Amino acid sequence: MLTFHRKLSIPLLCRLHCCPGKGRFLTCISRACWGCKSVLSGCAIIVRGQPRGGPPPERQINLSNVRAGALARRAAQSQPDAKDTPDEPWAFQAREYLRKKMIGKEICFTVENKTPQGREYGMVYLGKDTTGENIAESLVAEGLASVRREGIRGNNPDQVRLCDLEDQSKSAKKGMWGDGAGIHTIRDLKYTIENPRHFIDSLHQKPVNAVIEHVRDGAVVRALLLPDYYLVTVMLSGIKCPSFKREPDGQEIPEPFAAEAKFFTESRLLQRDVQIILESCPNQVILGTILHPNGNITELLLKDGFARCVDWSIAVYTQGADKLRAAERSAKERKVRIWKDYVAPTANLDQKDKQFVAKVMQIVNADAIVVKLNSGENKTIHLSSIRPPRIEGEANQEKNKDKDKRFRPLYDIPYMFEAREFLRKKLTGKKVNVTVDYIRAATTVTDTGTNPSFPERTCSTVTIGGINIAEALVSKGLATVIRYRQDDDQRSSHYDELLAAEARSSMLWLRGQLEMESRRCLDRVTTATRQCSLPPLLADFLQEVQSYWGHLTTVPAVSRTSCPSTGIDCPRGSRNTAGGIQDAEPFSDEACLFTKELVLQREVRQTSSHLCKLRNLE
């Protein structure tokens, strides 16, 4: 019986008994109890032994004294003039009879003859010994195979019994001995699909009955779709297994764990009845999910460390990408197989440093915020796996320019202001849940100047009220999702949700179809000794309204936010003067931090005579 446990139950190898031979037959009879891996035809099977530290040995056994029809064969692609060979009558029915009877079962076989070319002929029995059902006799009795009467010896009871069973089958007109030529038993086998996209769409992601005919590697199989007999190659959605690389000389070199991954899939799915959900067809590659009553092979491959998730196809996985990520995460934590050398991005962090609650003090950018920890320390947090708005191509053009020359105001970049405003209104002054996903190491400028320098970044998933802020930004078209290399695990723990949000986003700036009108900021600062200097029209307007609503975008020094009519004065911070740098007064830094925590990036009401900064409202 098929089992999806980690250890496949395969019978132990029995003893081999050898005797002297006579005539053209080898009277050396080898009795072995193995498992049936696959059925090649109505008279040939592949048997598999016990796995010992890797994939087990295999042997092809051909049934002695009987013949079944040959299955269809596709013409070699290297021979344009060659034609496909169709099934012989009753060939597929004989193969199916053996497949349903033997796959995954314990069998015992005896080797009666071995040709100089190495082909082995013998008798096959169901069960652990020769007392089980004789497969050749069952085929002949059902009219699915004929007896090779040449060379039949009358003193061999097994051969005589085969002849008697064939005579009985002919009398009963079973199988190939029935009326007609058996044309109806020949399949209309289709090796290609003219329009794969249309074919998959027509199925509406409904499960299709199929038989797995071949396993190329752990994640790629050849399946026979029923009842229309389409023979298609299916790649499992969302994952990739180690594969076999073909060298120029034709030799295949397996990647680490490639053979084990292939055996894992073969031992569970090869020639089994399954259902397949055909999910997508990018670049003529058919992606699908194989369903079996004993488990989902995609998730099992990930859980046992035989596969890794891939971003380009995980989105079409109909069973839920979160299940695949969870299975991969389980394998990483246990460091099994391909993950044996895996090191978590946050392996050096304590649990209290990985997950914590903090108060948002400032929105630095569309992907960076400053939070206040319970210890009172301020910490800059970057949102994982997203990139804020930017002008396409500008980064590459300006990498080699002077820093001052490549500076651009916040409001000159389309949607940058909207992105930061979204975060300011949602987060400023509120407590959020922070989960550190990874820490991006600091980088330095390369000799060629192609890569800029960045300090160390703590990249995290920030949520408030159960809402992932990065996902909300992406879904509104105010940020894009970063694409990573396949082996780069430093990414958001909710990366798939970010990709799905980006796919749903309808903001046109993502497609470069909309030019946003640049905003401008009128910046006027008041100090204890200087009033604002405003344009005449704006000054007249402020004389009428007397007050204005806005928000403070920066607090460079606390004394610069105070005005004479408030009746207070605060310690001055350090500043440059004509005579040199003037030292800061005592408690100036503390006063500045106090003011920042109260008013920085908050909605405030400012009278016209004390206006510090005013945004040009539309």
Side-chain angles (χ1 to χ4, degrees):
M1 186 174 183
L2 179 64
T3 161
F4 269 20
H5 297 302
R6 291 198 183 111
K7 293 183 179 179
L8 182 67
S9 177
I10 297 181
L12 294 174
L13 180 65
C14 297
R15 292 186 307 158
L16 297 180
H17 303 273
C18 298
C19 303
K22 292 183 180 180
R24 71 180 187 88
F25 287 94
L26 291 178
T27 50
C28 156
I29 300 179
S30 301
R31 290 187 179 90
C33 188
W34 288 21
C36 181
K37 171 190 171 182
S38 63
V39 178
L40 302 180
S41 68
C43 57
I45 64 173
I46 300 292
V47 296
R48 172 184 284 156
Q50 171 107 11
R52 298 182 183 277
E58 298 178 358
R59 296 168 68 178
Q60 176 176 334
I61 304 298
N62 299 275
L63 298 181
S64 298
N65 305 316
V66 299
R67 180 189 181 280
L71 292 172
R73 183 182 296 272
R74 189 179 186 182
Q77 300 299 307
S78 58
Q79 301 176 3
D81 297 334
K83 295 183 178 180
D84 299 336
T85 303
D87 289 332
E88 292 184 358
W90 295 97
F92 181 67
Q93 286 68 26
R95 199 292 296 264
E96 284 295 275
Y97 179 82
L98 290 190
R99 182 183 68 82
K100 294 178 179 180
K101 184 181 286 289
M102 301 181 64
I103 290 297
K105 303 289 182 62
E106 295 179 345
I107 64 168
C108 177
F109 64 90
T110 64
V111 177
E112 300 176 345
N113 184 21
K114 187 172 183 179
T115 66
Q117 294 76 24
R119 179 170 294 187
E120 297 178 299
Y121 290 85
M123 303 298 289
V124 178
Y125 306 87
L126 284 180
K128 297 181 179 181
D129 52 44
T130 57
T131 60
E133 178 182 353
N134 186 313
I135 295 302
E137 293 179 358
S138 298
L139 277 170
V140 172
E142 294 295 326
L144 298 174
S146 59
V147 178
R148 297 179 182 271
R149 294 183 177 263
E150 63 277 9
I152 292 293
R153 294 181 296 175
N155 60 350
N156 188 319
D158 292 333
Q159 296 175 349
V160 172
R161 177 166 174 76
L162 284 176
C163 294
D164 293 340
L165 289 172
E166 183 182 55
D167 292 339
Q168 296 173 15
S169 177
K170 288 181 179 179
S171 301
K173 295 185 178 181
K174 289 185 177 181
M176 66 176 63
W177 311 117
D179 295 333
I183 302 299
H184 64 283
T185 64
I186 300 176
R187 295 172 296 169
D188 180 17
L189 199 56
K190 308 173 186 68
Y191 297 101
T192 59
I193 300 176
E194 292 184 2
N195 190 337
R197 171 69 65 182
H198 176 73
F199 177 78
I200 292 174
D201 291 343
S202 67
L203 298 175
H204 305 291
Q205 293 192 343
K206 294 181 179 179
V208 179
N209 293 327
V211 177
I212 305 302
E213 296 289 346
H214 175 68
V215 176
R216 193 182 77 185
D217 60 49
V220 181
V221 301
R222 190 79 165 159
L224 180 65
L225 305 183
L226 303 175
D228 297 324
Y229 300 118
Y230 283 100
L231 194 60
V232 298
T233 299
V234 179
M235 180 180 294
L236 296 179
S237 300
I239 68 168
K240 182 181 185 303
C241 291
S243 59
F244 297 82
K245 294 184 178 180
R246 185 176 294 275
E247 297 295 322
D249 58 359
Q251 183 180 5
E252 289 188 342
I253 305 299
E255 296 177 349
F257 297 103
E260 291 86 345
K262 179 180 179 181
F263 171 68
F264 188 91
T265 301
E266 272 187 348
S267 60
R268 288 155 176 79
L269 293 184
L270 184 60
Q271 290 203 334
R272 264 71 172 194
D273 291 305
V274 299
Q275 288 188 318
I276 302 179
I277 300 178
L278 300 179
E279 295 163 329
S280 184
C281 183
N283 299 323
Q284 303 299 309
V285 177
I286 297 179
L287 298 174
T289 298
I290 300 176
L291 305 178
H292 191 282
N294 288 357
N296 186 321
I297 193 65
T298 304
E299 296 174 16
L300 288 171
L301 283 165
L302 285 169
K303 188 175 182 180
D304 281 61
F306 288 116
R308 66 173 71 241
C309 293
V310 290
D311 301 330
W312 70 272
S313 65
I314 198 171
V316 303
Y317 182 69
T318 55
Q319 306 297 302
D322 55 332
K323 295 182 179 179
L324 299 189
R325 295 292 186 188
E328 183 186 60
R329 187 161 51 251
S330 173
K332 289 179 178 178
E333 292 172 353
R334 293 180 286 115
K335 295 187 177 182
V336 294
R337 298 185 175 89
I338 66 173
W339 304 113
K340 59 185 178 67
D341 299 323
Y342 175 74
V343 178
T346 57
N348 298 326
L349 293 180
D350 295 333
Q351 186 60 34
K352 63 182 180 63
D353 296 326
K354 290 182 181 179
Q355 293 183 333
F356 54 87
V357 178
K359 182 180 179 181
V360 178
M361 303 301 298
Q362 181 183 358
I363 308 301
V364 180
N365 205 338
D367 66 339
I369 63 176
V370 176
V371 298
K372 184 177 182 180
L373 307 179
N374 292 333
S375 62
E377 176 190 359
N378 284 355
K379 185 178 181 65
T380 301
I381 298 295
H382 288 78
L383 301 181
S384 300
S385 300
I386 67 169
R387 181 177 288 115
R390 64 179 182 179
I391 298 177
E392 292 298 330
E394 184 180 69
N396 293 331
Q397 295 172 4
E398 298 188 350
K399 279 180 180 178
N400 297 324
K401 293 184 179 180
D402 183 77
K403 181 178 180 180
D404 294 334
K405 293 181 180 180
R406 70 170 179 262
F407 171 78
R408 294 181 64 96
L410 169 70
Y411 311 101
D412 275 2
I413 302 175
Y415 296 101
M416 177 64 85
F417 175 79
E418 285 74 13
R420 200 174 81 160
E421 274 294 277
F422 177 83
L423 293 183
R424 186 186 68 82
K425 293 178 180 179
K426 291 286 185 183
L427 301 182
T428 302
K430 298 178 182 178
K431 289 189 175 182
V432 295
N433 296 302
V434 180
T435 301
V436 178
D437 295 321
Y438 57 95
I439 297 178
R440 184 71 72 184
T443 60
T444 57
V445 180
T446 59
D447 295 337
T448 59
T450 56
N451 293 323
S453 62
F454 290 105
E456 182 181 87
R457 293 185 174 190
T458 300
C459 301
S460 310
T461 296
V462 177
T463 60
I464 181 170
I467 298 175
N468 184 344
I469 291 301
E471 183 179 349
L473 272 172
V474 173
S475 65
K476 291 182 176 296
L478 299 175
T480 55
V481 182
I482 299 174
R483 266 52 178 185
Y484 295 95
R485 301 189 311 271
Q486 178 180 313
D487 58 347
D488 190 351
D489 293 319
Q490 292 192 341
R491 61 183 67 188
S492 170
S493 54
H494 298 270
Y495 188 72
D496 296 312
E497 288 89 333
L498 296 181
L499 291 175
E502 186 178 59
R504 295 192 303 266
S505 174
S506 59
M507 288 294 287
L508 294 179
W509 82 268
L510 289 172
R511 302 171 180 82
Q513 298 176 0
L514 182 63
E515 287 295 332
M516 185 68 179
E517 181 182 355
S518 297
R519 299 179 181 270
R520 287 292 180 266
C521 172
L522 294 180
D523 193 357
R524 293 296 180 264
V525 180
T526 60
T527 68
T529 60
R530 180 170 60 88
Q531 292 288 346
C532 294
S533 174
L534 300 175
L537 292 178
L538 182 56
D540 294 341
F541 170 71
L542 295 178
Q543 290 296 328
E544 293 183 15
V545 298
Q546 296 298 319
S547 65
Y548 221 92
W549 284 98
H551 69 270
L552 296 177
T553 59
T554 58
V555 181
V558 67
S559 61
R560 301 183 68 182
T561 64
S562 60
C563 297
S565 61
T566 60
I568 66 170
D569 193 13
C570 294
R572 292 177 178 272
S574 62
R575 57 178 179 169
N576 293 323
T577 63
I581 299 177
Q582 181 177 339
D583 293 336
E585 296 178 1
F587 299 104
S588 62
D589 292 339
E590 291 83 349
C592 186
L593 289 175
F594 179 81
T595 304
K596 281 184 177 181
E597 186 169 355
L598 288 180
V599 300
L600 180 61
Q601 294 187 339
R602 313 292 179 89
E603 297 289 344
V604 294
R605 185 175 184 177
Q606 300 169 313
T607 60
S608 58
S609 60
H610 307 139
L611 188 64
C612 296
K613 182 167 286 205
L614 176 66
R615 180 164 60 90
N616 183 20
L617 300 178
E618 292 181 345

